[in-house]
Amino acid sequence: MVITNTIRFSQFNASLNRNAKGQLVSDLSTPDNAQAKAVAEIIQRNNPDVLLINEFDYSPEAVQLFRQNYLAVSQNGTTPVDYPYFYIAPSNTGIASGFDLNNNGTAVTTPGELGYGDDAFGFGNFPGQYGMLLLSKYPIDTANIRTFQNFLWKDMPNALLPDDPTTPQPNDWYSEEELAVLRLSSKSHWDIPIQVNGETIHVLASHPTPPTFDGAEDRNGKRNHDEIRFWADYITPGNGNYIYDDEGKTGGIAAGSSFVIVGDQNTDPLDGDSFDNAIRQLLQNPNINTNVIPTSLGARQQADLQAGANASQKGNPSFDTADFADNTPGNLRTDYVLPSANLTIANSGVFWPLNTDSTFPLVGTFPFPSSDHRLVFADVQTGATEPGKTIPNVRFVGQSTFTTSFIPAGAAGTVNGTPTPLGGLSGVTYDAVNNRYYAISDDRSQFGPARFYTFTTDTGVTFTNVTPLKDSNGNLFATFSIDPEGIALTNNGTVFISSEGEVNPGSGRVTNPFIKEFSLTTGQELRSLFVPRKFLPVVEDTNSNGIVNAGDTQTSGVYNNLAFESLTITPDQKTLFTAAENALSQDGLRASLTSGSPSRILQYNLVSGQPEKEYLYITDAIAQAPNPSTGSADNGLTDLLAIDNRGTLLALERSFAQGVGNTIKIYEVSLQGATDISFYDSLNNLSTEQLATIKPAQKRLLLNLNDLDLPNGTDNIEGIT
């Protein structure tokens, strides 16, 4: 085996389940089953190192046939794949409980009879239907496998045991006799240690029951929730002490262990029917690395084509992994590969090609040639993780000042043949390869076209060039259609630029903030990043006159002039950060003299171009009262600078008070352990208990520029690089 530090872990609900015991063995006994061939080709094309297959009927014989007749045989010219190690074990599906678990008056105990699956420990027409299979290119430490097939639901503290709504007693859907035998796992929970390059990575595998096919008691929804909670407790030190495995060993995984949680969890973080968005128990767990969300181009395309419920969903369709009924629930993100926080994700994806791709027939549309789920993968790096960085000290070097009406000499002073003042400079970014800088003018195409400048600092600040920005049609941006603030350089000869937009009903103008990528040489727009809907300003026509004007009311989105001031890209070029300068209007108030404002830092994956996470950042209160007291004053987060690839940033906060001046502070910020709040459209709508669970980004003051006591005071500084 070739030793590599990057291991591909995958999850695939392959629908290799059959309606009768032994049918899967029969289907796999020859190499010509069309569905198995499609599944095998998908696996070969993605070539996982470790793969969990959900919905593979329990049969060691079927495993050998699948490996021999399908995976080891080239499908459509793809390279065969060999998994010398595998693990399969009994599943709770289709095991008779002996009780009437669906409370319809009859306890069905004969496999195959109508209603048998509902009364089994896990839904199934025969023992082992819808089971699980783990395939691995790396050795499995079989002596230390832990299974939790027999763990009883009632033994989970504060379990969400369902309630019979027709009786006054609480949590009584199941009788005491039923609870004495009812298992938590609808299939099983496995902890399978894999030996990878001298390290142990635990594969935590499961397949919780779908949170549907029940009634008002929501017995499946609550079971799904607690099956997911099992892993959340298992990996959280101190929370898993109640857990016991099938050999009687107690407790969760050892602290500091590396793991990857894999499985069709049957729950989406925003849409669908799950109880209390159950998957968030994992997605918001600080012990899990959720920084890279697997995406595909095909998922968004199919959501658009299929419409129906997809059109009204809250979630990002690029994250979907399952193609469900168009009317309800629509396509969802249900399949997950979640490494521990001490593992780095190098890449990830979902195998869902565009319908123009030659491989699309492998996934197709209903009736599906392979499965209604898509293979999901994450490439995980083993070995020591990159250490985070910190700023040990800060020292003042110098400053250069320019008058407001300053026009640079030479080419930088002329835009389209017209001498143009520099204007205020907002964001700034450094080109280390060529030892030069790029700064964005905050001119809203009002005094000249929206533009950015090139300058050097070899012998003072010298502006050498100016580049006007052009929209996707090749036109200069119209007056007030842009409010450029942030700029970040890539390694591809481009810059990302952010615009705050505008929320100014009094002037009849409401425009959305944006983040766009432009050519460094021509200023031509190349692409626009998707901005989550919660950030976009919504203004109600309060006075019902059919136009936006001073009588109207903002209900959500960024506040005016308090949006995307900041922009930065991590050193590895994989992640972009921006932030609202203050709270969204539905999250809280602007900063005041007595309190800061709950801003959101927004994290993008630049590989997929998708927004992935959001973090709470509490700004400082306004530093000083204005003079006169009725004058204007504010404080906000004006820029960010990523100093490593682990979520360490420098944050620039600017406070202004009329008649007093500016207060500029630089903070070191850590996103490690901060809660992902992207699931919440409004913080104002959260309960006190929910708010208490949110951990904001941590910040440490590095420098208050006012302490430098500069001769000309502290100017309005809005950029850092």
Side-chain angles (χ1 to χ4, degrees):
M1 179 190 305
V2 176
I3 294 180
T4 174
N5 289 330
T6 300
I7 311 302
R8 174 162 291 187
F9 289 84
S10 292
Q11 148 64 29
F12 190 15
N13 181 333
S15 297
L16 286 171
N17 58 281
R18 298 297 185 261
N19 290 325
K21 185 176 182 179
Q23 186 178 344
L24 182 62
V25 169
S26 177
D27 286 352
L28 299 179
S29 62
T30 66
D32 56 6
N33 180 270
Q35 186 223 359
K37 287 171 67 69
V39 168
E41 184 174 344
I42 290 171
I43 294 171
Q44 289 174 352
R45 288 186 178 277
N46 288 275
N47 194 23
D49 296 302
V50 181
L51 168 65
L52 177 71
I53 298 180
N54 287 133
E55 298 195 0
F56 190 103
D57 294 344
Y58 173 65
S59 168
E61 183 181 0
V63 178
Q64 298 291 9
L65 291 170
F66 185 56
R67 294 164 68 213
Q68 170 187 317
N69 292 339
Y70 292 90
L71 296 178
V73 176
S74 172
Q75 307 293 337
N76 283 328
T78 56
T79 303
V81 61
D82 177 37
Y83 293 104
Y85 310 98
F86 72 89
Y87 181 78
I88 193 168
S91 169
N92 284 326
T93 46
I95 296 179
S97 70
F99 290 95
D100 176 22
L101 297 183
N102 65 358
N103 287 355
N104 69 348
T106 303
V108 184
T109 58
T110 303
E113 283 193 7
L114 184 66
Y116 176 80
D118 273 346
D119 289 338
F121 283 130
F123 183 86
N125 293 316
F126 59 87
Q129 188 183 25
Y130 306 111
M132 303 190 296
L133 165 65
L134 186 81
L135 300 171
S136 177
K137 296 179 183 179
Y138 291 87
I140 297 174
D141 181 5
T142 55
N144 288 300
I145 292 175
R146 298 181 72 187
T147 64
F148 305 89
Q149 181 187 6
N150 299 313
F151 179 87
L152 298 181
W153 192 358
K154 72 177 181 64
D155 291 339
M156 172 178 279
N158 302 310
L160 293 177
L161 300 176
D163 177 63
D164 186 342
T166 66
T167 67
Q169 291 79 19
N171 310 112
D172 63 340
W173 179 265
Y174 298 116
S175 68
E176 291 297 324
E177 293 78 14
E178 291 169 340
L179 289 175
V181 298
L182 182 58
R183 303 166 183 178
L184 171 65
S185 297
S186 54
K187 286 80 178 175
S188 189
H189 283 66
W190 299 339
D191 176 347
I192 305 174
I194 306 289
Q195 300 298 320
V196 179
N197 300 340
E199 299 182 37
T200 297
I201 299 179
H202 295 256
V203 175
L204 307 183
S206 62
H207 183 192
T209 189
T212 52
F213 312 113
D214 50 19
E217 82 290 343
D218 200 13
R219 67 185 188 277
N220 289 333
K222 292 180 178 179
R223 188 179 189 182
N224 170 277
H225 177 282
D226 282 358
E227 287 195 73
I228 294 170
R229 179 191 154 190
F230 181 91
W231 286 137
D233 288 346
Y234 190 74
I235 64 169
T236 302
N239 286 9
N241 296 334
Y242 67 88
I243 293 173
Y244 53 86
D245 62 29
D246 294 333
E247 299 297 322
K249 180 182 177 181
T250 60
I253 197 170
S257 298
S258 297
F259 60 82
V260 180
I261 298 175
V262 289
D264 170 6
Q265 306 293 339
N266 269 314
T267 173
D268 183 286
L270 290 165
D271 299 302
D273 302 310
S274 65
F275 182 87
D276 197 27
N277 304 108
I279 193 61
R280 296 184 191 176
Q281 297 174 103
L282 300 180
L283 297 184
Q284 293 183 307
N285 190 305
N287 299 295
I288 297 175
N289 182 351
T290 57
N291 276 330
V292 181
I293 300 177
T295 63
S296 71
L297 296 176
R300 177 176 287 276
Q301 181 194 50
Q302 290 303 311
D304 291 340
L305 291 173
Q306 296 167 16
N310 295 296
S312 58
Q313 287 181 341
K314 296 180 180 178
N316 186 335
S318 297
F319 301 157
D320 289 343
T321 67
D323 192 340
F324 292 149
D326 299 343
N327 56 342
T328 184
N331 302 342
L332 298 174
R333 179 188 180 194
T334 62
D335 306 84
Y336 298 85
V337 180
L338 301 173
S340 52
N342 62 355
L343 294 173
T344 300
I345 302 174
N347 189 25
S348 70
V350 178
F351 184 75
W352 199 334
L354 293 169
N355 62 10
T356 54
D357 193 287
S358 62
T359 61
F360 180 77
L362 293 172
V363 298
T365 55
F366 183 84
F368 303 102
S370 51
S371 171
D372 55 351
H373 291 256
R374 306 292 175 254
L375 182 145
V376 180
F377 70 85
D379 295 338
V380 175
Q381 291 179 342
T382 61
T385 57
E386 175 190 359
K389 292 185 178 180
T390 188
I391 303 297
N393 56 70
V394 180
R395 65 187 180 92
F396 177 68
V397 176
Q399 66 173 336
S400 295
T401 60
F402 303 90
T403 61
T404 303
S405 58
F406 172 74
I407 298 178
T414 303
V415 181
N416 292 343
T418 302
T420 304
L422 193 68
L425 296 179
S426 187
V428 60
T429 186
Y430 179 55
D431 180 352
V433 173
N434 297 295
N435 190 29
R436 59 192 176 202
Y437 299 80
Y438 302 97
I440 186 77
S441 171
D442 63 3
D443 187 350
R444 302 169 61 194
S445 289
Q446 187 176 8
F447 304 103
R451 59 201 179 276
F452 66 87
Y453 289 90
T454 306
F455 70 90
T456 62
T457 58
D458 297 329
T459 55
V461 175
T462 303
F463 292 91
T464 60
N465 195 29
V466 59
T467 306
L469 300 178
K470 301 172 186 176
D471 64 20
S472 57
N473 296 317
N475 300 318
L476 298 175
F477 283 85
T479 302
F480 297 128
S481 67
I482 183 174
D483 186 4
E485 295 288 355
I487 185 169
L489 179 69
T490 75
N491 289 344
N492 301 318
T494 65
V495 286
F496 281 92
I497 289 174
S498 63
S499 170
E500 283 198 296
E502 187 174 12
V503 194
N504 191 351
S507 298
R509 294 193 299 269
V510 177
T511 57
N512 291 331
F514 67 66
I515 302 167
K516 296 179 183 289
E517 187 174 13
F518 296 86
S519 167
L520 191 61
T521 55
T522 68
Q524 174 66 47
E525 178 184 335
L526 302 175
R527 66 166 165 163
S528 183
L529 299 185
F530 172 75
V531 176
R533 188 163 37 193
K534 65 173 74 74
F535 289 88
L536 307 182
V538 175
V539 175
E540 287 187 351
D541 186 13
T542 310
N543 55 20
S544 302
N545 65 355
I547 61 173
V548 174
N549 60 16
D552 295 333
T553 306
Q554 181 177 3
T555 58
S556 63
V558 295
Y559 285 116
N560 188 49
N561 204 34
L562 292 172
F564 296 159
E565 286 257 354
S566 55
L567 212 57
T568 187
I569 296 174
T570 52
D572 64 7
Q573 296 281 295
K574 291 183 178 181
T575 306
L576 178 145
F577 292 99
T578 187
E581 192 175 352
N582 265 203
L584 304 183
S585 63
Q586 71 270 27
D587 282 346
L589 301 175
R590 301 172 177 87
S592 69
L593 288 168
T594 57
S595 63
S597 185
S599 169
R600 293 184 188 232
I601 295 177
L602 177 56
Q603 174 181 315
Y604 280 87
N605 181 334
L606 283 185
V607 178
S608 67
Q610 298 299 323
E612 291 189 331
K613 301 178 77 172
E614 296 167 21
Y615 306 94
L616 179 62
Y617 178 96
I618 308 297
T619 74
D620 288 358
I622 297 172
Q624 299 180 78
N627 184 18
S629 60
T630 56
S632 62
D634 61 22
N635 182 68
L637 175 58
T638 59
D639 208 1
L640 295 168
L641 178 65
I643 62 174
D644 63 19
N645 303 315
R646 294 173 51 82
T648 309
L649 310 166
L650 298 187
L652 187 68
E653 289 196 33
R654 182 273 320 273
S655 182
F656 170 76
Q658 184 178 340
V660 178
N662 299 287
T663 301
I664 309 295
K665 297 178 182 178
I666 300 175
Y667 285 94
E668 182 177 286
V669 176
S670 175
L671 302 180
Q672 293 288 321
T675 304
D676 178 10
I677 61 172
S678 62
F679 311 115
Y680 306 129
D681 287 338
S682 168
L683 297 183
N684 282 341
N685 290 341
L686 299 184
S687 66
T688 302
E689 292 75 18
Q690 288 174 309
L691 288 172
T693 65
I694 296 176
K695 295 181 179 179
Q698 299 299 302
K699 63 182 190 179
R700 175 177 68 91
L701 181 64
L702 293 178
L703 176 66
N704 183 336
L705 270 68
N706 292 48
D707 293 341
L708 299 176
D709 196 22
L710 300 174
N712 298 320
T714 306
D715 207 339
N716 177 26
I717 298 173
E718 296 185 355
I720 185 170
T721 191

